[in-house]
Amino acid sequence: MSIFEEISSMYSIDSRESPAEKEEISKLLNYSTIEVPFDYIEFISIATEVEIKVKEKMYIRIWGPVDCIEMNEAYHIQKYIPRSLAIGDDEGGNVIIYLEGEGGLGLYMVGFGDLDINDAVKVAPTLRDLLVDNIGIEVIMSGYV
């Protein structure tokens, strides 16, 4: 089953765009300084630019590969946090980013205006853990920064 079929009832998908094309995924794989996690590739292979309502209170957005590259470049993410890949945001000033931080490899949140690995807060080990098992939902809901 896909993440979309298993998504927790704590989330609802309010909008989404077409799946990523193979060439777009290839560009992202070549661009990334880390191994792009399978669950993110699975996710963007089903839909991109996904806006997800969390507990009917806030949104998170998971970018497609084109916007992922653009946002990582625009905010110089890898300059400030090497060996990372931002994949989305909370529409409130925080970026959702894969990196190897204090809590090990996983999804973290950090403010766009404070891109420092020491300020990143671990959300969940994987995107699937967040969206299917609700691991880290409290971190997302805290609006942390």
Side-chain angles (χ1 to χ4, degrees):
M1 269 201 220
S2 76
I3 292 175
F4 283 85
E5 295 169 319
E6 296 180 81
I7 196 165
S8 163
S9 62
M10 297 292 178
Y11 302 98
S12 63
I13 297 175
D14 280 8
S15 71
R16 66 193 234 180
E17 293 183 14
S18 301
E21 296 178 12
K22 288 182 182 178
E23 309 83 58
E24 295 171 332
I25 293 172
S26 290
K27 284 181 184 176
L28 178 64
L29 295 174
N30 289 328
Y31 170 82
S32 182
T33 59
I34 64 169
E35 184 175 331
V36 180
F38 174 77
D39 58 345
Y40 175 68
I41 294 171
E42 174 193 15
F43 192 91
I44 62 175
S45 296
I46 298 168
T48 59
E49 310 315 316
V50 181
E51 290 197 8
I52 304 167
K53 189 179 267 185
V54 183
K55 288 185 158 182
E56 298 293 323
K57 295 183 180 175
M58 64 170 294
Y59 284 92
I60 57 174
R61 179 175 39 216
I62 305 299
W63 309 322
V66 172
D67 280 349
C68 183
I69 292 169
E70 287 176 5
M71 294 296 282
N72 277 271
E73 288 179 349
Y75 285 93
H76 309 285
I77 303 281
Q78 287 70 38
K79 174 183 174 186
Y80 297 110
I81 305 177
R83 302 219 12 90
S84 67
L85 183 68
I87 62 157
D89 66 90
D90 71 353
E91 298 186 346
N94 297 308
V95 64
I96 300 169
I97 185 170
Y98 278 110
L99 60 87
E100 176 99 34
E102 205 171 275
L105 181 64
L107 273 181
Y108 287 74
M109 277 180 64
V110 67
F112 275 110
D114 185 24
L115 293 169
D116 185 333
I117 194 167
N118 296 316
D119 294 327
V121 174
K122 189 163 187 182
V123 174
T126 68
L127 187 59
R128 176 177 286 282
D129 289 330
L130 175 64
L131 297 178
V132 174
D133 299 325
N134 298 321
I135 296 170
I137 193 169
E138 65 286 341
V139 177
I140 293 287
M141 294 294 300
S142 73
Y144 136 78
V145 234

